Amino acid sequence: MGDGTTTKEIYFRVCAETKREPAGEILAVLNHAIDDQIIDQTQFCTLKLHANKRNERNEKYRRKINDENVDTLYRTLQCNTFVVGLDLGYNSITDVGAKTLSKLLQETLILKELILSYNDITSEGAQDLAKGLQMNETLLVLKLNGNKICNKGALAIAGSLQVNTILQELDMADTDMGTESCVAVATVLNYNNTLKVLNISRPILHSSQEESVVVHMAGMLKVNRSLEEIHLAKCGIRDFGAERLAENLVYNTTLKQLHLSCNRVTRDGASYLARLLKKNTPLEMLNLAYNRIEDDGACALSAVLARGNTNLQTLVVCSNNIATQGLCALAKAMKTNSSLTRIYIWGNKLLEPACNAFQELMSGRVPRLAEEDTDVTPYIVDGVTYLSRINSPY
């Protein structure tokens, strides 16, 4: 089955055989895929069935996909060569549906992306998905974020990475992972050379366990040669953890994005990370949003960016209690650093000198910062410059 029309015909046949009513949501997506194939001559498609879609009045209008719908999709896609992605986020899929999808992972010929964000999958369903991953030879992206798979489920997924050498992106943020599963993921990635993107943000850790996890992650990053992006938000990382990460990342040759938002990094931690940037590692993006680096931390980063780093392209320091000194130092660093093109500063103390500095960056004689590359825009009232917030991914 290599086209949308045939896929739709098979779907109707499966519904008839199982005596189930065709789901309007699935039919709508299949019809859209058929239109795209005719107009754009597409050879493959992703079925976007996430239930968080809203209309122009911001109202949810899709009925949620359930386990029965998943079974129908599985029977439809068993030998399919047209559908390469399934976006099933924000639905009502339970462990029963996860077990069905595990069978699809074992039998699929072409599925490359499976998004299951924010469903009702627990550790049992994750264990079934892990079995499917061990047998799968096509899947590149798996997103389980928002499912409470807990320690047991995350351990099973980590174990599957010892066998699976295809998966490139894994998202297990907000899944109630524990210390054991975080350490297991780090241990496996000492040897796994295919995973490129990892998100384990917001694990459930006690204060005494936070340092253990970051030490294992830092040690893994020292030897790993495939990861390009790692998300460690809400991991309770303090300055000790920032120091461990910095001293180990000196040896890393692949990591391009380091996300450490919503942790407990202060000026000392920022200074350790500044030393890392001074080594001009491959790091292109550093996200420190919602920490507490303050002026001293911002100045430490600015000093390196002004003269010692030519690789960093994006710096996120939203809500870090940075005041005039630190913000002006960052603005000054951008004038001399041609590689740093994006900076996000909203949530700090945006007093008039800092507002003037960023207005000069954005609309001065030689503009250095484009509006789409930051989260603020200048405006003037009674001769005084202010900054207002604009849309930001952070």
Side-chain angles (χ1 to χ4, degrees), residues 70 86-91 93-94 97-98 101-102 105 113-121 125 129 141-147 171:
V70 169
L86 273 178
D87 183 352
L88 299 171
Y90 299 91
N91 282 291
I93 300 169
T94 70
L101 289 169
S102 175
L105 288 177
E113 182 180 50
L114 179 58
I115 300 176
L116 295 170
S117 309
Y118 295 94
N119 277 278
D120 298 316
I121 300 169
L129 289 169
V141 178
L142 176 61
K143 295 188 178 184
L144 292 169
N145 52 308
N147 292 284
D171 191 343

Side-chain angles (χ1 to χ4, degrees), residues 117 142-145 169-173 175 197-200:
S117 309
L142 176 61
K143 295 188 178 184
L144 292 169
N145 52 308
E169 181 176 347
L170 175 62
D171 191 343
M172 293 197 293
T175 57
V197 180
L198 174 67
N199 190 343
I200 59 165

Side-chain angles (χ1 to χ4, degrees), residues 60-350:
K60 293 183 181 179
Y61 65 92
R62 274 188 174 164
R63 184 175 63 87
K64 290 191 173 185
I65 300 296
N66 57 29
D67 295 332
E68 184 178 279
N69 300 136
V70 169
D71 182 69
T72 307
L73 282 171
Y74 158 66
R75 295 169 186 268
T76 302
L77 301 178
Q78 275 179 300
C79 300
N80 190 278
T81 57
F82 176 64
V83 177
V84 297
L86 273 178
D87 183 352
L88 299 171
Y90 299 91
N91 282 291
S92 299
I93 300 169
T94 70
D95 292 339
V96 175
K99 189 170 185 177
T100 303
L101 289 169
S102 175
K103 292 191 291 183
L104 179 61
L105 288 177
Q106 295 175 53
E107 299 170 12
T108 182
L109 302 173
I110 201 170
L111 191 69
K112 295 181 179 180
E113 182 180 50
L114 179 58
I115 300 176
L116 295 170
S117 309
Y118 295 94
N119 277 278
D120 298 316
I121 300 169
T122 69
S123 58
E124 184 179 341
Q127 287 175 294
D128 285 322
L129 289 169
K131 293 175 184 176
L133 271 181
Q134 290 180 15
M135 303 290 291
N136 181 270
E137 296 181 352
T138 63
L139 198 71
L140 302 178
V141 178
L142 176 61
K143 295 188 178 184
L144 292 169
N145 52 308
N147 292 284
K148 303 310 175 185
I149 66 174
C150 301
N151 220 31
K152 195 172 182 180
L155 279 169
I157 297 294
S160 70
L161 295 180
Q162 297 181 74
V163 179
N164 184 292
T165 57
I166 302 296
L167 195 70
Q168 295 182 6
E169 181 176 347
L170 175 62
D171 191 343
M172 293 197 293
D174 196 24
T175 57
D176 289 358
M177 294 176 66
T179 303
E180 295 88 346
S181 52
C182 289
V183 171
V185 169
T187 303
V188 169
L189 291 182
N190 283 316
Y191 310 100
N192 181 293
N193 292 314
T194 53
L195 199 70
K196 294 182 178 180
V197 180
L198 174 67
N199 190 343
I200 59 165
S201 297
R202 207 203 71 88
I204 304 298
L205 306 175
H206 300 296
S207 297
S208 59
Q209 300 170 328
E210 292 164 351
E211 291 184 355
S212 172
V213 168
V214 75
V215 165
H216 280 85
M217 284 293 163
M220 175 272 292
L221 289 170
K222 182 178 181 178
V223 299
N224 183 276
R225 292 296 178 266
S226 64
L227 273 181
E228 298 178 1
E229 180 178 336
I230 188 167
H231 295 253
L232 298 172
K234 300 181 182 179
C235 287
I237 297 173
R238 298 179 172 86
D239 294 335
F240 171 83
E243 184 178 14
R244 299 288 82 76
L245 287 168
E247 65 185 19
N248 283 281
L249 279 171
V250 169
Y251 303 96
N252 187 286
T253 59
T254 59
L255 194 73
K256 295 180 180 179
Q257 294 191 27
L258 178 61
H259 295 261
L260 300 176
S261 60
C262 303
N263 279 293
R264 302 175 188 177
V265 179
T266 71
R267 61 183 186 181
D268 293 334
S271 296
Y272 297 133
L273 292 168
R275 294 177 195 172
L276 170 67
L277 294 178
K278 192 174 182 179
K279 300 293 184 180
N280 217 21
T281 63
L283 204 63
E284 297 177 358
M285 196 266 196
L286 177 61
N287 183 353
L288 289 171
Y290 304 100
N291 280 280
R292 195 86 175 175
I293 69 170
E294 302 182 319
D295 279 342
D296 288 346
C299 287
L301 293 170
S302 300
V304 172
L305 292 171
R307 62 178 184 272
N309 183 282
T310 58
N311 285 331
L312 197 73
Q313 298 174 11
T314 303
L315 178 64
V316 186
V317 289
C318 311
S319 299
N320 264 278
N321 201 37
I322 304 171
T324 298
Q325 182 185 3
L327 292 169
C328 288
L330 289 169
K332 185 177 179 181
M334 282 206 75
K335 290 183 178 181
T336 58
N337 186 317
S338 59
S339 61
L340 186 64
T341 55
R342 291 177 289 275
I343 188 167
Y344 300 87
I345 62 167
W346 182 258
N348 293 295
K349 298 178 181 179
L350 302 176

